[in-house]
Amino acid sequence: MKWKWLGLWWYHFVLLRITIEGQTRYSIPEEVKRGSVVGNLAKDLGLGLSDILDRKLRVASEAGEQYFSVDPGKGELVVNDRIDREALCGQSASCILSLQVVTENPLQLHRIEVEVKDINDNSPVFMKEERHLKIAESTAAGIRFPLDTAQDQDFGSNSVKSYTLSKSECFSLKMKELSGDRHVPELVLEKPLDREKQSVHQLLLTALDGGSPVKTGTTNIIVTVLDNNDNVPVFKRTLYNISVPENSAVGSVLVQVEATDEDEGVNAEIEYRFADSTPQSLLSIFKMNSDTGEIILLDALDYESSSKIEISITAKDKGFPEMEGHCRVQIVVIDVNDNVPEIMLTSKPSPVREDAPKGTVVALISARDLDSGNNGNVALKLAHRSPFSLKASFSNNYALITADVLDREQTAEYNVEITATDSGSPPLSSKKTIHVSITDVNDNPPVFTQSFYNVYVKENGVPGSILYSVSASDLDSGENAKISYSILDSKVQDVSVSSYVYINSDNGSIYSMHSFDYEKLKVFQIQVQAKDQGSPSLSSNATVHVFILDQNDNTPAVIYPSSAALGSLSHQRMPRSAKAGHLVTKVTAVDADSGHNAWISYRLAEATDASLFTVNQYTGEVRTKRAVYEQDDSSQRLLIEIKDDGQPVQSATATVSILLEDGLHEPILDLRHKMSEPSKKTGRITLYLILSLASVSVLSLVTFLILAVKCIRGNRSSGSCCMRRSDCDDYKNPNRNLQIQLNTDGPIKYVEVLGGDMMSQSQSFRSCMSPMSEYSDFTLIKPSSTTDFKEVISVLDASLPDSTWTFESQQVSIEPPTQNVRAQQENWQNHPLFDSVSGLGVRAVSGDFPHPGGEMHQGEQKQRELLHEKERL
């Protein structure tokens, strides 16, 4: 028997696997063991063994229960749980389990069917173990009494096929054929009964199925012989067919059966009831009115549970013995649209990359409606303005796919609302929301808060101090939004920028590597790069301009008197005949700082006689405050303090030693005084002329006119000039005592012009070193007065190209010239130093230098002669 069953199993398994309309179908018998192989699913779908794991091959049952699974090693479809065909499909002609096979990367859906074949695993069963019949002894032969049918959960050939009755002289068994190829056993009375001979007859009814081996079920039939009650109740119809909507109201009367009895009195009174074989499930839905024969609805009908119901009705009279008649009621349940469509997820939605192309499958969806006909036809639709769409596949199965470009930075997740609507009247609908996450793609570079940054840093800062913190953001997420900062390599004064600053790669903080010196470096720029951690990584740059702010860290440097050339003291000679305001000397200093830090002021700190001398606060000119007295000491010593305008104040001192001597001539006054003098003298000459016209002769008038002409010529030649070298003939006479010294020690470069006898009267020279000069790079102006310090600054600042005019680091030494001044100028201009003379960076250098060797300018000599002659007149 066991081998026979196994042979049948393999027959179904091997031979009945077919493919219908592109759908793979397998057939297996019910009740197979767990782990039994249904078929090689991977092979039948054209998948390799590597695809099983890579594409996450899996199965899902539309029925909900997972009866099958996939062996990941072999790709075989195996039984996962006990399969009972009767529990799954009942008495349906076919029992098919629909499976959905899902593969990912890309997401695809395959439909397969597994047909569950019935095996004879159930025996026929009667509702009751005993059936009692009461038959009057006067009952005529040939009368039939319907018997209970046996139920077999198996289907087809394995269901009930025949009945047998134990041997009896009075009774036989006949089969009554009903509609739908159904048969009902009936007990036939073969001859009249004799109560006196045998009052009770016991029979055994056996039901046999068509399986192999045959299984049976039995019930006992007990017939009690009664005294005469002549007539049996007879129904008007042996079969009542009614159609009832499934939404019929509870308590409504579905049908009324009616039977009559030809007897009279108590023997004609009929009582209606359901047959003893009626299952309890029907008794909970229907109720029989025993007096009227009305069948009343106790509970709601459900077309989806049972579309057709058959009930056996018995009518009994109240005579003795009781006589009963039989009929059947067949109820057809009419479907109404009472089930809402249901949306089910065949596969959970997987996260979608934001760069996914249109048509990418996001999720697999199925819909079902338990109603039938149009009531069960379901249509799905999405809400408007959704970047997704539904693509129908087969049998109410859909794929949710992308229909538009996705951008995670705009919308990181979607709640896709799907509406299912049936075709009933009125239509019913349901909604389901599917959550779809969008995964990030590195499609956004980091963005700085500014395209460039201006950073102001004080010089002399502490190395390692933070200069600034740049910040960038990235619209992406995760690793794609993690930013690291770096400084792109560049040069600052021919040195890599990394030797000046470094940056924290995590937070963008920029730190100094060492302190900065404004006098050496005023501004530089850094290229900062922000790069994300995506693949491939994206980056962006920002420029950081670092401006070094000047601090007052340089003391004023004394240019004249020069301690390098003349020692620590400056010895000056002054005649005792000098009047108040006499220019003794001029102290000149510069400051390497800038702005207010470079504004210099002079103050007389100590003096042998403070009442005799004064120092101009802005120009550094040392002048007499009064005339020299006889009792004044012939040796005067001045200590001049030079301070800048910075915070804190930086200062330096210069010591000037002055010798008061007799016999020295009055020095020529400064330029402005001298230029105003001719107008004063002219006024006096006019007065003399008026007096002379009145008192002297024509000869005196002619003489005066000659002198006036000479005076005018003297004024023209005595004016200070900055002229072209070719136009100045007064420099032809060489000054052999003139010395020119270029000082390049430290950051300040300047030129000293020294010459003449120290005992000679001091003269004033000014260095004109404008980088914008068109004709001359160096011009001597003599004699020169001391102009206001602010005027000098404004003039020289206006001539500079910009405020960042820096010192040249180049150092050049020049031999002192031995030719005349013009030759000296030509030699200097041919020297490489004057190719970059604008780089000397001296903002204002003015001072009094000794007269060169006592040789006098020709125009100056004429001017002196004219003045003496005017005084004589």
Side-chain angles (χ1 to χ4, degrees):
M1 189 69 65
K2 179 178 179 182
W3 289 104
K4 191 175 183 180
W5 184 89
L6 288 175
L8 179 64
W9 185 89
W10 279 107
Y11 172 79
H12 287 297
F13 171 66
V14 177
L15 299 181
L16 299 182
R17 186 179 65 83
I18 58 175
T19 300
I20 301 176
E21 297 179 355
Q23 297 180 3
T24 303
R25 173 179 288 188
Y26 302 96
S27 294
I28 61 170
E30 62 173 331
E31 302 293 347
V32 295
K33 295 181 179 180
R34 294 181 184 181
S36 300
V37 178
V38 179
N40 195 319
L41 184 61
K43 180 180 178 181
D44 293 334
L45 296 179
L47 301 176
L49 294 179
S50 60
D51 295 331
I52 299 174
L53 295 178
D54 294 343
R55 300 192 61 183
K56 299 179 181 179
L57 177 65
R58 63 184 184 274
V59 294
S61 174
E62 294 181 359
E65 294 290 336
Q66 296 296 328
Y67 293 103
F68 305 95
S69 62
V70 177
D71 184 349
K74 300 179 180 180
E76 295 175 335
L77 183 67
V78 297
V79 177
N80 197 43
D81 200 354
R82 174 179 177 268
I83 300 176
D84 186 0
R85 183 187 185 281
E86 290 73 34
L88 289 175
C89 306
Q91 294 297 314
S92 298
S94 64
C95 184
I96 296 176
L97 294 179
S98 297
L99 303 179
Q100 293 177 340
V101 180
V102 182
T103 55
E104 298 182 3
N105 302 319
L107 188 61
Q108 291 180 336
L109 177 66
H110 305 274
R111 182 184 176 92
I112 65 173
E113 293 179 348
V114 179
E115 183 180 8
V116 180
K117 294 292 186 178
D118 184 49
I119 62 173
N120 193 23
D121 58 340
N122 292 283
S123 300
V125 176
F126 288 95
M127 293 295 296
K128 292 184 178 181
E129 294 182 356
E130 294 181 352
R131 171 70 188 277
H132 292 271
L133 293 177
K134 295 179 180 181
I135 302 175
E137 60 180 343
S138 61
T139 303
I143 297 297
R144 296 190 174 195
F145 299 91
L147 301 177
D148 296 337
T149 59
Q151 303 296 322
D152 194 328
Q153 294 184 3
D154 294 327
F155 176 78
S157 61
N158 295 323
S159 62
V160 177
K161 292 299 181 183
S162 62
Y163 294 88
T164 60
L165 185 67
S166 60
K167 189 175 181 180
S168 174
E169 295 180 354
C170 300
F171 298 96
S172 65
L173 183 67
K174 299 292 182 180
M175 300 299 296
K176 182 178 181 180
E177 186 175 351
L178 301 178
S179 62
D181 195 24
R182 294 181 301 145
H183 298 81
V184 176
E186 289 183 338
L187 185 65
V188 181
L189 181 61
E190 293 293 336
K191 63 180 183 177
L193 300 176
D194 187 351
R195 183 176 180 276
E196 286 72 20
K197 290 184 177 181
Q198 186 175 353
S199 61
V200 176
H201 296 266
Q202 292 188 352
L203 306 173
L204 180 65
L205 179 64
T206 303
L208 298 88
D209 63 22
S212 178
V214 176
K215 292 189 175 184
T216 61
T218 60
T219 184
N220 292 317
I221 299 174
I222 300 174
V223 180
T224 303
V225 182
L226 303 176
D227 288 338
N228 289 332
N229 183 8
D230 297 329
N231 296 293
V232 176
V234 177
F235 284 93
K236 290 185 177 181
R237 288 186 290 176
T238 58
L239 177 64
Y240 289 85
N241 286 312
I242 61 173
S243 297
V244 180
E246 64 173 325
N247 61 348
S248 297
V250 174
S252 60
V253 178
L254 302 183
V255 67
Q256 183 178 12
V257 297
E258 184 179 357
T260 59
D261 194 325
E262 294 181 357
D263 293 327
E264 294 179 354
V266 176
N267 294 334
E269 294 180 7
I270 299 174
E271 182 180 8
Y272 301 94
R273 66 179 62 181
F274 293 121
D276 293 338
S277 60
T278 304
Q280 185 62 37
S281 59
L282 295 181
L283 295 177
S284 63
I285 299 176
F286 304 101
K287 176 184 178 182
M288 172 65 73
N289 189 320
S290 60
D291 295 331
T292 63
E294 294 176 341
I295 298 177
I296 303 171
L297 186 64
L298 289 179
D299 200 357
L301 297 173
D302 188 3
Y303 171 86
E304 290 71 33
S305 298
S306 179
S307 59
K308 184 182 291 186
I309 302 172
E310 188 172 294
I311 307 175
S312 295
I313 307 298
T314 300
K316 290 186 178 182
D317 60 22
K318 297 181 180 180
F320 185 83
E322 294 178 345
M323 303 297 290
E324 64 181 30
H326 305 276
C327 74
R328 291 179 296 109
V329 176
Q330 193 173 69
I331 302 174
V332 177
V333 181
I334 302 174
D335 183 39
V336 296
N337 194 24
D338 60 342
N339 288 282
V340 176
E342 184 180 359
I343 302 173
M344 298 174 294
L345 281 177
T346 303
S347 68
K348 293 182 179 180
S350 55
V352 184
R353 287 169 57 94
E354 61 177 322
D355 62 346
K358 294 182 181 179
T360 300
V361 179
V362 178
L364 298 175
I365 303 167
S366 61
R368 69 178 179 182
D369 193 319
L370 297 179
D371 296 321
S372 62
N374 289 333
N375 296 333
N377 293 333
V378 181
L380 299 184
K381 66 177 182 178
L382 297 178
H384 296 294
R385 297 181 181 178
S386 173
F388 303 95
S389 64
L390 289 171
K391 182 180 179 181
S393 55
F394 50 83
S395 182
N396 287 334
N397 285 272
Y398 300 84
L400 181 66
I401 62 174
T402 58
D404 204 348
V405 178
L406 303 176
D407 188 355
R408 191 206 65 83
E409 287 69 41
Q410 291 185 359
T411 306
E413 56 186 23
Y414 292 88
N415 290 319
V416 183
E417 185 180 80
I418 303 176
T419 303
T421 306
D422 61 25
S423 301
S425 180
L428 299 178
S429 63
S430 64
K431 294 182 179 180
K432 189 177 185 67
T433 300
I434 299 176
H435 182 78
V436 180
S437 299
I438 310 300
T439 58
D440 185 50
V441 173
N442 193 26
D443 56 350
N444 290 281
V447 177
F448 283 94
T449 55
Q450 300 173 219
S451 59
F452 67 91
Y453 300 84
N454 291 333
V455 180
Y456 300 91
V457 182
K458 294 181 179 180
E459 65 172 331
N460 304 323
V462 179
S465 60
I466 186 170
L467 302 182
Y468 197 77
S469 290
V470 297
S471 177
S473 59
D474 196 316
L475 295 177
D476 295 321
S477 64
E479 291 295 323
N480 297 331
K482 290 183 179 180
I483 298 176
S484 62
Y485 300 89
S486 62
I487 295 178
L488 299 180
D489 191 29
S490 61
K491 299 292 184 180
V492 176
Q493 292 184 346
D494 296 329
V495 179
S496 175
V497 71
S498 60
S499 64
Y500 288 87
V501 294
Y502 71 92
I503 191 169
N504 187 312
S505 60
D506 295 327
N507 57 27
S509 297
I510 302 174
Y511 299 87
S512 63
M513 296 287 287
H514 55 73
S515 61
F516 299 101
D517 189 352
Y518 173 84
E519 287 70 38
K520 293 181 180 179
L521 179 64
K522 291 181 172 56
V523 62
F524 64 96
Q525 70 179 22
I526 307 169
Q527 287 290 331
V528 178
Q529 183 181 78
K531 180 184 292 185
D532 59 31
Q533 303 299 316
S535 179
S537 61
L538 300 177
S539 63
S540 61
N541 300 337
T543 302
V544 180
H545 299 279
V546 181
F547 296 91
I548 311 302
L549 301 179
D550 183 46
Q551 299 294 298
N552 194 27
D553 58 343
N554 289 281
T555 58
V558 180
I559 295 178
Y560 184 82
S562 174
S563 59
L566 303 176
S568 60
L569 297 178
S570 173
H571 298 278
Q572 302 292 332
R573 296 184 179 183
M574 187 187 77
R576 283 187 172 270
S577 60
K579 303 293 190 294
H582 173 76
L583 178 62
V584 178
T585 186
K586 182 174 182 180
V587 178
T588 304
V590 294
D591 196 316
D593 295 320
S594 65
H596 287 271
N597 296 330
W599 290 5
I600 295 175
S601 62
Y602 303 85
R603 184 180 70 87
L604 183 60
E606 295 180 7
T608 303
D609 188 350
S611 65
L612 182 56
F613 300 98
T614 183
V615 177
N616 188 290
Q617 180 182 359
Y618 303 108
T619 64
E621 293 177 345
V622 180
R623 294 180 180 270
T624 57
K625 295 173 63 175
R626 56 177 175 80
V628 181
Y629 300 148
E630 289 296 333
Q631 62 272 23
D632 288 335
D633 194 350
S634 60
S635 177
Q636 298 287 331
R637 185 182 181 89
L638 305 180
L639 179 64
I640 299 173
E641 182 183 28
I642 306 164
K643 297 191 299 182
D644 58 25
D645 196 38
Q647 289 295 332
V649 176
Q650 301 280 1
S651 63
T653 58
T655 304
V656 179
S657 179
I658 303 174
L659 298 177
L660 303 181
E661 297 182 356
D662 295 326
L664 293 179
H665 297 287
E666 182 76 20
I668 299 176
L669 301 178
D670 61 34
L671 180 60
R672 287 185 296 179
H673 178 70
K674 185 183 70 173
M675 293 181 65
S676 64
E677 187 179 25
S679 62
K680 181 179 178 182
K681 295 295 184 180
T682 304
R684 294 176 60 187
I685 292 174
T686 304
L687 179 59
Y688 293 155
L689 288 176
I690 295 174
L691 295 175
S692 298
L693 288 174
S695 60
V696 301
S697 61
V698 177
L699 182 59
S700 299
L701 179 59
V702 174
T703 303
F704 179 79
L705 290 175
I706 294 173
L707 294 175
V709 172
K710 290 182 178 182
C711 180
I712 294 173
R713 291 179 178 177
N715 286 337
R716 289 180 179 176
S717 62
S718 64
S720 64
C721 61
C722 285
M723 61 186 69
R724 299 186 185 183
R725 295 186 299 270
S726 61
D727 297 334
C728 185
D729 296 331
D730 297 329
Y731 291 99
K732 293 180 180 179
N733 296 326
N735 185 349
R736 302 187 184 276
N737 294 325
L738 181 64
Q739 296 181 359
I740 299 177
Q741 178 177 350
L742 175 65
N743 192 328
T744 60
D745 295 336
I748 305 174
K749 283 72 177 177
Y750 58 90
V751 175
E752 288 185 279
V753 181
L754 305 175
D757 187 1
M758 296 301 295
M759 298 300 295
S760 65
Q761 57 180 341
S762 61
Q763 302 295 328
S764 175
F765 292 83
R766 175 172 299 152
S767 302
C768 297
M769 296 184 180
S770 171
M772 304 301 292
S773 175
E774 180 180 0
Y775 302 110
S776 175
D777 294 318
F778 189 89
T779 305
L780 294 177
I781 306 173
K782 79 167 199 174
S784 173
S785 66
T786 303
T787 59
D788 185 75
F789 182 72
K790 293 183 179 179
E791 294 177 359
V792 175
I793 292 296
S794 62
V795 170
L796 289 176
D797 281 347
S799 67
L800 296 178
D802 53 44
S803 61
T804 61
W805 188 39
T806 61
F807 293 99
E808 288 289 329
S809 61
Q810 178 180 358
Q811 295 187 7
V812 181
S813 62
I814 304 177
E815 294 296 332
T818 57
Q819 303 299 324
N820 56 39
V821 175
R822 176 169 179 166
Q824 294 166 1
Q825 290 180 335
E826 293 174 353
N827 291 337
W828 291 351
Q829 290 177 343
N830 291 330
H831 198 279
L833 172 63
F834 286 88
D835 291 339
S836 58
V837 67
S838 61
L840 290 175
V842 182
R843 286 184 172 253
V845 182
S846 62
D848 294 334
F849 300 91
H851 191 278
E855 294 187 3
M856 191 173 296
H857 193 282
Q858 183 179 0
E860 183 182 354
Q861 181 67 28
K862 292 180 179 180
Q863 183 181 15
R864 289 192 175 185
E865 292 175 357
L866 179 60
L867 291 176
H868 285 300
E869 188 170 352
K870 287 181 180 179
E871 290 176 357
R872 183 178 59 80
L873 291 175

